[in-house]
Amino acid sequence: MCNMAAPEDEHDVAENGEEEKKTFRDLGVTDVLCEACEQLGWKQPTKIQIEAIPVALQGRDIIGLAETGSGKTGAFALPILQTLLESPQRLYALVLTPTRELAFQISEQFEALGSSIGVKSAVIVGGIDMMSQAMALAKKPHVVIATPGRLIDHLENTKGFNLRALKYLVMDEADRILNMDFETEVDKILKVIPRDRKTFLFSATMTKKVQKLQRAALKDPIKCAVSSKYQTVEKLQQFYIFIPSKFKDSYLVYILNELAGNSFMIFCSTCNNTQRLALLVRNLGFTAIPLHGQMSQNKRLGALNKFKAKSRSILLATDVASRGLDIPHVDVVINFDIPTHSKI
Ligand code: AMP
């Protein structure tokens, strides 16, 4: 799943091979953050980082066309942390994401990169107690990572909380935020944050809705693109199996048996089917765990963590987990139901 493209396989950045040798320092990243990258094992910046970080440090708005696995979180987190270091301030940056799981993943990267400089972040997503989130916001973290709906809830109902001093807005997976009908929420948020701010908009694809949002929210942005439409990782092997649908379950179990010992993510179109298949394969002795929108947020996080910790070999999920999650040890991804959107 960690579909980080090798630095040399796209000519737009690494035409003469020179870019490959770039370091974070070359991009203008300060020593303390370079050290943080090193500690995370990030030896060289990725393509999106090479493109976006210098531009962001110049104070420009960015529209980044990049997918999960490209290192895009680092591409927006590093410039935010660096400018935060230069002028420390609470409630400095807001990152909007489409799903709760992504929000936690982004916050982990902020915490990891910012631990040595004492950066505090708060995750504000649905399905979790409002009160404890209100308390986290009262402590005025530097970075808020939120899904749009719950953030609006706090902006409207949590006393003393506002984003009027915000300096950075990041919209991550903007195409997906808009596809999930968060458009009104995003508009509301744009109205209560300063116009005088920097905005980074990241999206895997450039849809009409994303273009509209870009016009509304960004000022003279620089485009940083590292992915073409529908790009998949070069080394990824893809197969399809053409079978009568009544045999799908048996074929699935056959594959799981044949490839036993690997780690699987299986995507289904409905919560019910996810749950049913989880029971089916569990009864057959596989260690499987479901992840879908009808589970409580605690259960969803628990499921993901068990899978990440490799105590379960199969994660059965609906599209709440279909994009954006970065789980490096996954060996096999099965689309049990064909996704209804070609982009997914
Ligand atoms: P993202 O695309 O932001 O979800 O990042 C995907 C994965 O790449 C995460 O696990 C990051 O920790 C990792 N990553 C980000 N930047 C680098 C880098 N420069 N070198 C190695 N790994 C990185």
Side-chain angles (χ1 to χ4, degrees):
M1 274 289 284
C2 189
N3 45 356
M4 176 122 36
E8 66 271 19
D9 65 10
E10 203 163 293
H11 63 273
D12 57 353
V13 175
E15 214 148 27
N16 51 16
E18 293 233 322
E19 302 285 359
E20 279 173 56
K21 294 186 207 112
K22 280 226 157 121
T23 62
F24 283 103
R25 208 160 266 115
D26 295 335
L27 305 180
V29 178
T30 63
D31 289 349
V32 55
L33 290 173
C34 288
E35 276 160 30
C37 293
E38 232 162 76
Q39 273 173 10
L40 288 182
W42 299 4
K43 295 194 179 76
Q44 289 173 357
T46 64
K47 277 184 288 179
I48 186 71
Q49 291 163 359
I50 291 174
E51 291 223 352
I53 292 174
V55 183
L57 288 175
Q58 281 167 21
R60 297 292 299 267
D61 279 6
I62 287 177
I63 167 131
L65 293 182
E67 287 147 6
T68 293
S70 61
K72 65 185 160 76
T73 314
F76 63 74
L78 286 167
I80 290 178
L81 292 172
Q82 181 147 333
T83 53
L84 177 64
L85 259 179
E86 287 159 10
S87 46
Q89 182 205 302
R90 300 283 169 159
L91 296 171
Y92 185 72
L94 167 67
V95 183
L96 290 179
T97 76
T99 67
R100 302 165 182 182
E101 282 75 11
L102 249 182
F104 284 103
Q105 194 173 288
I106 292 170
S107 121
E108 280 165 20
Q109 286 206 43
F110 265 103
E111 299 269 339
L113 288 169
S115 63
S116 63
I117 52 174
V119 168
K120 296 273 170 285
S121 68
V123 175
I124 302 297
V125 296
I128 286 177
D129 170 45
M130 284 276 287
M131 202 53 208
S132 54
Q133 289 180 351
M135 276 153 65
L137 289 174
K139 288 188 193 149
K140 299 209 184 325
H142 302 98
V143 184
V144 175
I145 299 127
T147 47
R150 178 55 69 95
L151 183 72
I152 294 276
D153 225 349
H154 280 287
L155 283 166
E156 288 173 351
N157 302 312
T158 298
K159 266 201 182 139
F161 169 60
N162 68 67
L163 293 170
R164 288 198 285 266
L166 199 75
K167 294 287 182 294
Y168 279 88
L169 169 68
V170 181
M171 288 179 280
D172 192 32
E173 307 237 342
D175 50 345
R176 212 159 157 226
I177 292 182
L178 298 173
N179 278 346
M180 288 168 79
D181 286 332
F182 279 133
E183 218 166 341
T184 11
E185 282 85 351
V186 171
D187 283 344
K188 272 191 191 170
I189 293 166
L190 288 174
K191 283 199 184 101
V192 297
I193 59 174
R195 274 172 179 273
D196 190 18
R197 55 153 207 271
K198 311 279 180 271
T199 310
F200 303 152
L201 189 155
F202 281 85
S203 184
T205 52
M206 195 60 189
T207 59
K208 284 213 175 73
K209 282 184 184 172
V210 176
Q211 276 168 350
K212 194 174 143 209
L213 179 62
Q214 176 195 331
R215 284 194 296 272
L218 276 71
K219 267 187 239 140
D220 193 18
I222 301 256
K223 191 167 162 193
C224 302
V226 293
S227 62
S228 54
K229 229 179 170 186
Y230 306 127
Q231 184 186 359
T232 55
V233 189
E234 217 176 347
K235 285 184 205 140
L236 184 71
Q237 295 180 23
Q238 303 191 63
F239 306 92
Y240 80 95
I241 307 176
F242 189 59
I243 42 162
S245 69
K246 64 178 174 184
F247 298 139
K248 265 165 90 175
D249 288 356
S250 336
Y251 272 80
L252 175 70
V253 172
Y254 175 81
I255 290 172
L256 294 177
N257 251 332
E258 284 298 299
L259 300 177
N262 285 301
S263 167
F264 297 86
M265 280 178 102
I266 304 174
F267 291 109
C268 307
S269 58
T270 62
C271 301
N272 270 347
N273 212 16
T274 310
Q275 198 68 36
R276 183 188 68 83
L277 278 177
L279 289 175
L280 175 83
V281 299
R282 257 194 212 162
N283 273 321
L284 292 170
F286 296 98
T287 58
I289 194 150
L291 171 63
H292 55 73
Q294 276 173 13
M295 292 159 60
S296 72
Q297 188 54 30
N298 278 342
K299 282 234 165 92
R300 276 165 66 170
L301 279 176
L304 200 57
N305 286 337
K306 280 185 188 140
F307 183 63
K308 277 186 169 173
K310 303 188 188 174
S311 79
R312 300 288 187 281
S313 62
I314 303 171
L315 182 75
L316 281 134
T318 54
D319 62 3
V320 289
S322 71
R323 232 175 69 185
L325 289 185
D326 168 45
I327 306 174
H329 76 272
V330 174
D331 304 298
V332 185
V333 175
I334 299 177
N335 282 303
F336 186 77
D337 296 316
I338 295 178
T340 45
H341 294 288
S342 61
K343 283 161 200 158
I344 291 174

